[in-house]
Amino acid sequence: MSLELTLSPEAIGAVSIVGLIVLVILRVPIGIALVAIGFMGNLYFQGLTPAIIQFQLVIWEVATNFVLVTLPLFIWMGNLAQVSGLGKDLYHSLYRLFGRVPGGLAVTSVVSSAGFGAVTGSSVATVTAMGNMLMPEMKRYRYDMGLATGSLASAGVLAILIPPSVPLVFYSAWTETSLGDLFIAGIIPGLMLATLFALSIVLRCLMDPMLAPQGERFTWLERITALPHMLPAISVMLIVLGCIYAGIATPTEAAVVGLVWVLLLGLIRQKLSISKLKQSIHQSATLSGNIFVLFLGGIFYSRFMAQTGLIESQINAISGWPVSPHLILLALVIMYLFLGAILDTFGMIILTLPFVFPLVMSLGYDPVWFGIFIVMMIELSLITPPIGINVFVMQRVVPDVPIMTIFKGTFPFVFMTLFMVGLLVVFPEIALWLPQKMAK
């Protein structure tokens, strides 16, 4: 006598989540894990031939997604900006403005990272470029290593909030939210967070001057004559956003314009060689390929999960809880802090959006606002243990500094980011006011 075990569709969905977590723990790349679990799920519900057809359709959908085409363009633009030295000119100009304030080099790192992030859209590229430029100076002035490395690692997170932002492109393609609105929505929160970072550095150095000795003194003439060197980096962001909101180009076309402009800047300034061009292409193609596989796996897995009905039932259950929507957002903050300890940036987005996005929309939140919220939560994952990608990138720049010293240095900036998330929840207009004004 045989006993047949029959699982409900919702139970199968729950089992698939457990299987996915197991594969991630076993270090299987998230994109591959999503494809594997998604294929097995579609095979169970539909059979072999329909599962293969579904996979082919998803490949076609991802490959022809017009917004997603923006992704490799912005990634390449950021790599070109890095190898052609735009960040160096930006740093030298800003150091003449902020170098004399308490913690001047650390403040310069924050402002430079915000500006350079507006060109690259990449946190890792920003930490690498700024770290290599600023750490020798910070060591020369005998900065506290916790403050020096912590400020640089944390300032890199501004790159994925201030437009153009690679994670916002990813979010836009997945949720079909206006990329132009997302870019504009990130400006004010990004500038506010950069200001909070800079103020926290100044206050800490005022309370303990031994953390950071004062830097060089520059005349007003030297400061003014350094300003034009900021224009190349600033012009990239202005051209990209200007093309979008002047109606001259779509976000994808604006990415092409920005890429060509950065390429021209590198050639005009004679900072771009054939070897650097090859290096930027190779790095961009590798990262873009990884992201496309992740996106493909996420869509394929979500199609399977839609058949289980698990997401819909859970959304209905949570929406019926007699609690404030703010408490549900608090639960999401805790969830993202936990996931940030085990997943990378795009893994967090792709694994959570199929579940979280419909829930947040059912609570009445704006998709543009939620895009900024989720990117800020990702920022936290970049500087919190045990993964903290920015921290490990920083440690590669200064291998003589212990990893725990860098993590301790990021703690004040983690609190500042959490404070900014709280402001964003209480005052959603911080993200929504500028897109609404631009729309009018």
Side-chain angles (χ1 to χ4, degrees):
M1 182 176 179
S2 63
L3 179 63
E4 183 178 351
L5 179 62
T6 303
L7 296 178
S8 67
E10 291 184 11
I12 293 170
V15 169
S16 77
I17 295 174
V18 174
L20 194 59
I21 293 172
V22 170
L23 290 178
V24 170
I25 292 174
L26 293 175
R27 300 290 184 179
V28 176
I30 296 175
I32 303 299
L34 287 165
V35 170
I37 299 293
F39 188 82
M40 288 190 289
N42 280 286
L43 179 65
Y44 178 85
F45 281 113
Q46 301 179 7
L48 180 59
T49 301
I52 293 174
I53 293 173
Q54 181 73 255
F55 186 56
Q56 292 172 334
L57 290 173
V58 171
I59 292 175
W60 175 257
E61 181 180 330
V62 172
T64 56
N65 187 314
F66 194 61
V67 174
L68 206 56
V69 174
T70 309
L71 202 70
L73 296 173
F74 278 132
I75 291 173
W76 190 15
M77 184 179 80
N79 275 317
L80 280 175
Q82 183 181 1
V83 300
S84 60
L86 289 184
K88 182 176 287 188
D89 288 347
L90 185 65
Y91 153 65
H92 286 301
S93 298
L94 291 171
Y95 180 54
R96 280 157 177 74
L97 294 177
F98 299 104
R100 193 63 180 172
V101 303
L105 276 168
V107 172
T108 301
S109 75
V110 170
V111 183
S112 299
S113 295
F116 191 60
V119 180
T120 65
S122 168
S123 183
V124 170
T126 300
V127 174
T128 303
M130 292 300 154
N132 284 318
M133 283 187 287
L134 281 154
M135 278 311 301
E137 291 296 304
M138 289 183 171
K139 287 182 176 180
R140 185 163 71 92
Y141 280 96
R142 301 185 181 279
Y143 266 58
D144 175 81
M145 283 295 101
L147 173 66
T149 57
S151 61
L152 279 163
S154 303
V157 305
L158 299 168
I160 65 170
L161 184 58
I162 297 176
S165 160
V166 173
L168 283 179
V169 174
F170 198 83
Y171 175 89
S172 171
W174 182 271
T175 62
E176 298 182 353
T177 305
S178 167
L179 181 57
D181 286 347
L182 287 167
F183 279 177
I184 295 298
I187 293 176
I188 292 179
L191 293 177
M192 287 181 64
L193 188 59
T195 303
L196 286 174
F197 281 5
L199 287 176
S200 70
I201 293 169
V202 172
L203 289 175
R204 288 174 63 195
C205 292
L206 284 173
M207 291 186 291
D208 184 2
M210 295 302 295
L211 287 175
Q214 281 193 322
E216 298 176 57
R217 185 184 298 277
F218 295 98
T219 66
W220 279 106
L221 179 61
E222 289 175 313
R223 294 174 181 177
I224 293 171
T225 53
L227 292 178
H229 295 286
M230 299 169 56
L231 294 179
I234 295 174
S235 67
V236 178
M237 183 180 72
L238 294 178
I239 285 174
V240 171
L241 296 181
C243 285
I244 294 172
Y245 273 90
I248 299 172
T250 65
T252 305
E253 293 164 346
V256 176
V257 174
L259 174 61
V260 172
W261 179 240
V262 172
L263 184 60
L264 287 174
L265 285 174
L267 294 173
I268 293 170
R269 289 150 39 90
Q270 298 181 341
K271 298 290 182 68
L272 194 60
S273 63
I274 296 296
S275 61
K276 288 182 177 180
L277 186 60
K278 289 180 179 179
Q279 176 190 342
S280 70
I281 292 174
H282 179 265
Q283 292 176 344
S284 304
T286 302
L287 180 56
S288 299
N290 292 336
I291 294 174
F292 270 89
V293 171
L294 192 59
F295 200 87
L296 167 67
I299 291 180
F300 195 45
Y301 179 73
S302 67
R303 296 281 171 86
F304 150 63
M305 287 299 290
Q307 298 174 69
T308 69
L310 177 64
I311 298 175
E312 185 178 356
S313 65
Q314 293 303 308
I315 290 170
N316 291 336
I318 295 173
S319 299
W321 288 356
V323 297
S324 165
H326 285 171
L327 286 178
I328 295 177
L329 284 179
L330 178 61
L332 291 182
V333 169
I334 295 171
M335 180 191 76
Y336 278 113
L337 286 174
F338 170 75
L339 290 178
I342 57 176
L343 296 174
D344 61 17
T345 299
F346 296 102
M348 286 174 61
I349 297 178
I350 208 70
L351 287 179
T352 60
L353 274 184
F355 306 93
V356 173
F357 184 73
L359 169 63
V360 172
M361 294 305 99
S362 71
L363 297 175
Y365 288 100
D366 188 282
V368 173
W369 175 88
F370 184 62
I372 304 304
F373 171 86
I374 199 172
V375 165
M376 293 193 71
M377 294 312 304
I378 290 169
E379 287 181 341
L380 283 169
S381 74
L382 295 174
I383 54 176
T384 50
I387 290 183
I389 293 173
N390 280 16
V391 173
F392 283 93
V393 171
M394 191 69 243
Q395 215 264 332
R396 286 206 300 267
V397 174
V398 279
D400 56 316
V401 179
I403 195 73
M404 286 310 300
T405 299
I406 307 176
F407 271 122
K408 289 178 182 177
T410 64
F411 284 164
F413 302 99
V414 170
F415 295 135
M416 289 292 101
T417 306
L418 283 171
F419 177 69
M420 188 65 215
V421 170
L423 288 178
L424 193 67
V425 171
V426 177
F427 305 104
E429 296 83 6
I430 292 173
L432 298 178
W433 177 79
L434 193 54
Q436 291 169 353
K437 281 291 184 182
M438 296 294 287
K440 291 179 180 178

